[in-house]
Amino acid sequence: MSIAAPRALLVVGVLALAGCQHTAPVLAPDVSARLESTPGGFLAGEVSGLEDSAVLNRKDFVWTLAFSPDASRVAYSHLGAREYLFALWTLRPTPALVVDKALNPSEFDVEALAFSPDGKLLASAGWDGVVRLFDAATGAPKVSVRTDEPLTAVAFHPTGGYLVVGSSQGLVTALRVADLGFSSEVRPHAGQVSALAFAADGTLYSGSWDKHIRVFDTREEVLRREQTRLRFERRGGHAVVAGVVNGKSPVAFALDARTPAIVLGTQAAAAAGIDTAFLQETVSMPTALGTIVARVARGQHLRLKGLDLDGVDVAVCDACLPPNVAGVLGAPFSERVDVAFDDATSEAVLTLKSPAPAKQEEQRGLVLAPRANFAFEAHVNDVTLDAAGRRLGVAFSESKAERNRTVYEREKKGLVEPPAEWNAAALVDATSGQVLRKWTRHRGVVASAGISPDGRSISSGGWDKQLYLWREGQEAPVAERRFGWSVRRVRFSPDGQQVGVAAWTPQKATGNQESEPAAALFSVRYAAPTVER
């Protein structure tokens, strides 16, 4: 460990840990005992510094990090040689790796992880548009679903029955946890959703690069199932939408009422659990090569976001498909569903021509009702919430947090941005949106701001390689650490004992490939800590 001499209350450090060994405890035994015996308890009081605790990764680009509700585990996503992975660690009695599991190919960033309120599930959301649920104790996969848009944020509703995901195009979608089935959606933002945070009462806060934080009431209601909206794109003269067959197979469908059947390719059919070799019935299908006899699978299920169609007959035929799609929604689909196009949002509006079955009309789901809109002068890169739901920790930047050639060239030349008013970490009132306190020491984009459970402190990280710990009422940071490259995510543990950091590190291709810390934990020091809940 390398820590410079103190300057007043400021502790400046360069992180240089060798492994996952803890320093001496920073809590007095009686405080530690009270914390352990208080369910849902957390430390409160004036933070006074950080102690280097453990380095979990010093090889990779680490993108995000999340603590379990009881602070006994931590997970982070990182970029391996060919794929994104998530690493799951247990922290008690000492840090130990549980699993390091592949998520998706390396071209799709994984920017979002979240534990369920009971700590039993871990959710991931990435730029491949897929939401995945894992057993949070073992890392075993549970269920996944592909959405319409690249995903950048995820959070569980405090009841544990729903989760919400945010997209790169401003969409916020509520899903059922049991099967990741669609519940509802809103498009409150004109830019990327950078963060989602729930208060204990179910209030949802969504932050975005469009310089807004939107606030929603959430409630469970009977859902309308006769209409849905979903993104479409143009491919080879067809409008193409995404659907799921039998709850298993995500399919890109071309909309074409001229085709006399609903069609699936053989790979999509197999993924949906259809064994083509055992199908007995056939149908004649016109193709560019002439008429083809295709086998028919009857009574299948088709889901198009919020629209469910039972009893769907499907023809399995590769030669019947237009290029670059796995299915066609033909005449039988058009007989049941009206299709209109909203070019302003690039969405197809699907409406059932006949009333939905009673069981679908009575299905309940989570609905997001707008309550408030907080507008700022800068892009919102991160939003966190204290335990009481009264204060937000917000990361701002004057320029959009997009890494481009200009950014890389500036970093390569060692150029440092000057301080700016809205390159800042801030305490924000969760009711009014008023900025209560703003700290502007970061040079450039402030990527992340983790608020302490008691709402009195913030840990922040930025592209200037810096981690700062701020305390309300004090201008200078009470502690800081410098990393090898960009700091991507910082979070207080739910009990207030630790700060976790996800960062990029200069990668090394030789030797043991170890570089500077990329996933690290710090113990938080308090001047006179108390235990609250």
Side-chain angles (χ1 to χ4, degrees):
M1 182 185 303
S2 175
I3 300 177
R7 183 172 67 248
L9 290 177
L10 174 63
V11 179
V12 181
V14 177
L15 192 64
L17 293 175
C20 292
Q21 297 182 354
H22 281 273
T23 58
V26 298
L27 286 180
D30 61 325
V31 178
S32 181
R34 285 199 304 273
L35 184 61
E36 290 182 8
S37 63
T38 305
F42 56 86
L43 298 176
E46 291 189 351
V47 296
S48 58
L50 294 173
E51 293 290 342
D52 297 348
S53 178
V55 173
L56 308 181
N57 183 303
R58 56 170 69 248
K59 292 183 179 182
D60 300 322
F61 290 174
V62 178
W63 285 81
T64 192
L65 174 145
F67 286 99
S68 65
D70 65 357
S72 67
R73 281 160 290 163
V74 69
Y76 60 83
S77 64
H78 62 110
L79 178 60
R82 296 181 179 85
E83 56 206 356
Y84 273 90
L85 306 95
F86 83 88
L88 176 65
W89 289 69
T90 181
L91 301 180
R92 297 172 185 167
T94 58
L97 180 64
V98 176
V99 68
D100 202 14
K101 181 179 290 291
L103 288 171
N104 55 243
S106 60
E107 59 263 34
F108 299 113
D109 301 348
V110 179
E111 296 191 12
L113 293 173
F115 284 88
S116 60
D118 62 5
K120 294 182 179 180
L121 295 173
L122 177 67
S124 72
W127 278 76
D128 60 353
V130 179
V131 185
R132 297 175 172 89
L133 290 182
F134 302 90
D135 184 296
T138 66
K142 305 284 284 186
V143 62
S144 65
V145 67
R146 186 177 299 278
T147 65
D148 289 350
E149 301 177 8
L151 298 177
T152 52
V154 64
F156 279 89
H157 188 272
T159 63
Y162 300 93
L163 58 78
V164 293
V165 291
S167 85
S168 64
Q169 300 171 31
L171 187 68
V172 177
T173 304
L175 304 171
R176 298 187 301 270
V177 168
D179 60 355
L180 292 184
F182 176 83
S183 181
S184 66
E185 68 182 13
V186 292
R187 194 179 295 277
H189 295 292
Q192 176 172 311
V193 179
S194 56
L196 294 165
F198 274 107
D201 65 358
T203 301
L204 175 65
Y205 297 83
S206 68
S208 171
W209 286 359
D210 68 0
K211 304 183 180 181
H212 290 262
I213 295 176
R214 306 277 183 172
V215 188
F216 300 89
D217 293 318
T218 60
R219 53 180 178 265
E220 195 175 48
E221 294 182 355
V222 173
L223 301 176
R224 290 183 61 203
R225 286 307 194 193
E226 61 269 17
Q227 187 179 88
T228 196
R229 301 174 69 96
L230 65 162
R231 303 282 288 185
F232 75 91
E233 59 178 299
R234 302 288 183 183
R235 296 186 195 173
H238 292 92
V240 178
V241 297
V244 178
V245 180
N246 295 341
K248 301 176 181 178
S249 178
V251 177
F253 283 104
L255 294 166
D256 189 351
R258 300 167 299 179
T259 302
I262 296 174
V263 183
L264 278 182
T266 53
Q267 288 188 350
I274 299 171
D275 192 337
T276 308
F278 284 88
L279 299 177
Q280 301 298 317
E281 298 183 59
T282 60
V283 62
S284 296
M285 297 289 297
T287 72
L289 301 176
T291 300
I292 286 182
V293 176
R295 300 197 179 193
V296 176
R298 299 200 179 275
Q300 308 302 305
H301 179 267
L302 174 62
R303 173 176 293 164
L304 297 153
K305 194 171 282 187
L307 201 68
D308 288 292
L309 296 178
D310 290 314
V312 175
D313 297 334
V314 175
V316 182
C317 176
D318 289 327
C320 307
L321 299 176
N324 302 316
V325 298
V328 177
L329 299 177
F333 179 80
S334 300
E335 292 169 2
R336 298 176 65 174
V337 180
D338 274 325
V339 181
F341 296 98
D342 185 344
D343 285 313
T345 60
S346 296
E347 290 178 318
V349 183
L350 309 183
T351 307
L352 287 176
K353 294 181 178 181
S354 299
K359 66 177 182 179
Q360 292 184 353
E361 290 178 348
E362 296 173 356
Q363 188 171 14
R364 301 182 68 84
L366 191 72
V367 174
L368 310 179
R371 181 202 296 177
N373 172 32
F374 305 152
F376 301 94
E377 298 179 40
H379 305 282
V380 177
N381 299 322
D382 195 15
V383 179
T384 53
L385 190 65
D386 69 5
R390 298 192 185 99
R391 289 181 165 187
L392 304 172
V394 184
F396 292 107
S397 62
E398 293 197 349
S399 61
K400 192 177 291 185
E402 291 181 314
R403 299 194 68 85
N404 51 37
R405 181 173 293 277
T406 300
V407 173
Y408 283 108
E409 288 297 324
R410 183 178 66 240
E411 292 179 342
K412 185 177 179 181
K413 295 175 182 177
L415 300 178
V416 179
E417 291 189 47
E421 180 184 0
W422 281 100
N423 287 335
L427 280 174
V428 175
D429 184 84
T431 301
S432 66
Q434 178 186 358
V435 176
L436 304 174
R437 184 62 191 258
K438 190 169 59 174
W439 293 277
T440 59
R441 180 168 293 203
H442 282 286
R443 304 295 184 95
V445 167
V446 182
S448 188
I451 196 168
S452 61
D454 69 356
R456 300 171 61 181
S457 304
I458 282 181
S459 56
S460 66
W463 291 4
D464 58 358
K465 309 179 184 180
Q466 291 293 129
L467 166 72
Y468 291 117
L469 179 63
W470 310 98
R471 186 175 74 209
E472 184 180 22
Q474 184 165 318
E475 180 65 29
V478 298
E480 66 179 88
R481 295 293 189 276
R482 185 170 178 83
F483 283 74
W485 201 1
S486 170
V487 177
R488 309 297 299 185
R489 184 73 77 203
V490 293
R491 287 292 183 264
F492 269 86
S493 62
D495 62 6
Q497 287 198 86
Q498 292 187 300
V499 165
V501 180
W504 289 357
T505 188
Q507 294 179 306
K508 293 184 178 179
T510 59
N512 61 10
Q513 300 180 342
E514 289 193 349
S515 182
E516 299 183 53
L521 302 176
F522 302 88
S523 297
V524 182
R525 284 197 174 276
Y526 293 81
T530 60
V531 175
E532 298 182 4
R533 58 172 301 177

